[in-house]
Amino acid sequence: MRLSFDASVEEFRAAFAAFLDEHMPGEAEASERARSSSDVPEWARRWQRLQFDHGWLLPGNPPEYGGRDATLVQQYVHLEELSRRRIYHSFNPQGVGIVAASLLSFGTGEQKRRWAIPILRAELTASLGMSEPGAGSDLASLRTRAVRDGDHFVVNGQKVWTSGAHDADVLLTFVRTDPDAPKHQGISVLLIPTDTPGVTRRPFPSVIGADDLDFNEVFFSDARVPAENLVGPLNEGWKVANGSLGHERTLLWLSFAERLDELIRDFRPAGPPAADAYATAVMDAHALRLLGSTALARASRGEEDVASISVLKLLGSEAVQKAAERALSSAGAEGLVHPASTAPYTHMHLESFSGSWFERYTRSFAGTIAGGTSEIQRNVIAERVLGLPRR
């Protein structure tokens, strides 16, 4: 079987490649590193704004929102070209890919003008306030409360794992507004500026090390938020949540495929066990791309297939983790040293592709948690593919 695209899609790819060749920042310009996923250096803001102005930031969007009404397959080759060159289109991925996208789907015209466009143009950065200490994979168990008081909501509670919150200008925050409703029906969504009195952000390091400060605890203590910052209808935040994660998951499998490709390029198997691990990673990469291409074809025909997204997310995230673990085991003590790569790393490159085998392995756990844990994906597959009873 030969996987290929028609002439119009390849013309689209060629146009984007030409844009990258002409405009992509050079190494000298891109010398300043981002501190977190909501910290965008000035050169990266210019880069994101340039893509927005030329319709290449999110090509599936209308032109007024940084796109060119691209088809799903065209969006795929756009991401494929970015992945192939291993570069970011935004240093605030959750702001552009989830928060702004959610506002375009559920926000008012004023919210799109005031918040979505500035986020897309890198004039503001945004983080996603979903998870809580007792509500991670089970988002509907969230306890952060928002009580209406005149033309404001008063918010009290806590979020955790909020990536980049200490550098963000605004949080898309999921709160409980009806404590008496069934847990999926009493949730609403608020845009909360991070300079609001009563909002406290505390970054903390990950397992990678003390210098890796992206995660945050966020505390709300009688924070007053204008009622006009309600996104979507009151108590219907579950629909916004599904839409927010849908923006994140649609082509997520492609990032796992590229990570597998990168691991395979740097893997130097020594001995039969390592050779078996290498061969397994290669087969997993091929399987992921073939299954992903099938799902892409269905989606391009307008067919909704939530289960296939779960299968791809589960396969991709766990294949990356297993490949990194086996490479680390094969490398032994050398796994603590940054390996020589087949391509140079620059400040534009995706950092999750680089580092020692130990760093790659520890980072791989994010893939099996973020966007829906492996356990949740297995539940979805059990119910929607195998027809097993809900537990």
Side-chain angles (χ1 to χ4, degrees):
M1 180 172 63
R2 181 181 178 186
L3 299 174
S4 60
F5 300 102
D6 61 30
S8 65
V9 173
E10 291 301 341
E11 288 173 7
F12 182 90
R13 185 201 300 274
F16 181 47
F19 169 83
L20 292 176
D21 290 339
E22 181 178 357
H23 295 290
M24 197 174 77
E27 180 119 17
E29 181 183 0
S31 59
E32 185 181 358
R33 306 297 293 268
R35 296 179 313 232
S36 76
S37 57
S38 289
D39 172 57
V40 183
E42 185 53 41
W43 69 266
R45 291 179 186 265
R46 293 193 299 269
W47 166 239
Q48 183 173 320
R49 197 169 302 131
L50 184 69
Q51 293 172 87
F52 179 95
D53 291 340
H54 285 77
W56 289 119
L57 182 65
L58 294 174
N61 285 359
E64 62 269 28
Y65 297 124
R68 48 184 63 204
D69 292 316
T71 66
L72 183 61
V73 175
Q74 289 173 330
Q75 293 173 60
Y76 169 83
V77 299
H78 170 264
L79 290 177
E80 190 176 54
E81 198 64 28
L82 287 171
S83 295
R84 179 176 295 155
R85 299 183 186 226
R86 299 185 300 172
I87 57 175
Y88 290 111
H89 69 305
S90 170
F91 280 66
N92 182 215
Q94 71 275 8
V96 169
I98 301 178
V99 178
S102 297
L103 291 173
L104 296 184
S105 297
F106 300 99
T108 65
E110 173 62 15
Q111 288 171 344
K112 294 174 185 178
R113 183 196 66 78
R114 183 181 175 189
W115 301 104
I117 291 178
I119 291 170
L120 292 171
R121 288 181 53 80
E123 294 159 0
L124 296 174
T125 62
S127 292
L128 185 65
M130 277 188 165
S131 296
E132 298 184 3
S137 297
D138 184 15
L139 175 66
S141 295
L142 66 86
R143 303 166 108 185
T144 296
R145 291 282 304 277
V147 178
R148 185 69 181 259
D149 180 22
D151 58 357
H152 284 74
F153 286 95
V154 180
V155 182
N156 285 278
Q158 178 187 356
K159 298 292 179 180
V160 73
W161 313 115
T162 313
S163 298
H166 59 302
D167 288 316
D169 297 302
V170 65
L171 306 174
L172 186 72
T173 311
F174 289 74
V175 296
R176 187 160 299 285
T177 45
D178 185 353
D180 298 321
K183 68 178 188 177
H184 290 83
Q185 298 175 22
I187 297 172
S188 299
V189 184
L190 293 173
L191 279 166
I192 304 181
T194 55
D195 61 359
T196 301
V199 176
T200 302
R201 297 162 286 166
R202 296 180 184 170
F204 60 90
S206 74
V207 70
I208 300 300
D211 294 333
D212 183 40
L213 286 177
D214 195 40
F215 292 141
N216 278 252
E217 294 177 296
V218 183
F219 299 90
F220 304 96
S221 179
D222 291 330
R224 296 182 63 83
V225 182
E228 65 189 25
N229 287 16
L230 177 70
V231 179
L234 184 70
N235 296 325
E236 294 190 19
W238 192 248
K239 293 180 181 177
V240 181
N242 286 331
S244 298
L245 295 178
H247 292 304
E248 182 186 29
R249 291 172 177 165
T250 304
L251 291 173
L252 183 61
W253 64 268
L254 178 60
S255 68
F256 292 124
E258 293 296 335
R259 281 167 171 78
L260 267 177
D261 289 346
E262 185 67 23
L263 291 172
I264 290 165
R265 278 194 289 267
D266 287 346
F267 198 167
R268 301 291 184 268
D276 288 345
Y278 178 85
T280 299
V282 171
M283 290 187 289
D284 284 345
H286 282 291
L288 184 59
R289 286 189 178 278
L290 289 170
L291 289 171
S293 297
T294 301
L296 177 67
R298 288 199 197 100
S300 68
R301 295 193 295 266
E303 300 173 15
E304 186 176 2
D305 189 358
V306 176
S308 71
I309 294 176
S310 291
V311 170
L312 287 164
K313 181 7 174 110
L314 180 65
L315 170 62
S317 62
E318 296 206 343
V320 168
Q321 189 172 101
K322 290 174 182 175
E325 180 182 18
R326 290 163 179 162
L328 173 61
S329 177
S330 176
E334 292 183 3
L336 301 176
V337 180
H338 193 301
S341 178
T342 56
Y345 292 101
T346 75
H347 297 297
M348 289 293 294
H349 284 161
L350 298 168
E351 293 180 358
S352 57
F353 287 167
S354 63
S356 69
W357 286 118
F358 173 75
E359 291 172 325
R360 296 187 192 197
Y361 174 57
T362 52
R363 284 197 187 104
S364 72
F365 283 87
T368 58
I369 298 172
T373 66
S374 291
E375 291 79 8
I376 293 296
Q377 305 307 329
R378 285 186 168 88
N379 282 346
V380 172
I381 294 165
E383 293 169 20
R384 301 196 182 190
V385 179
L386 303 178
L388 297 178
R390 184 179 180 87
R391 292 185 61 183

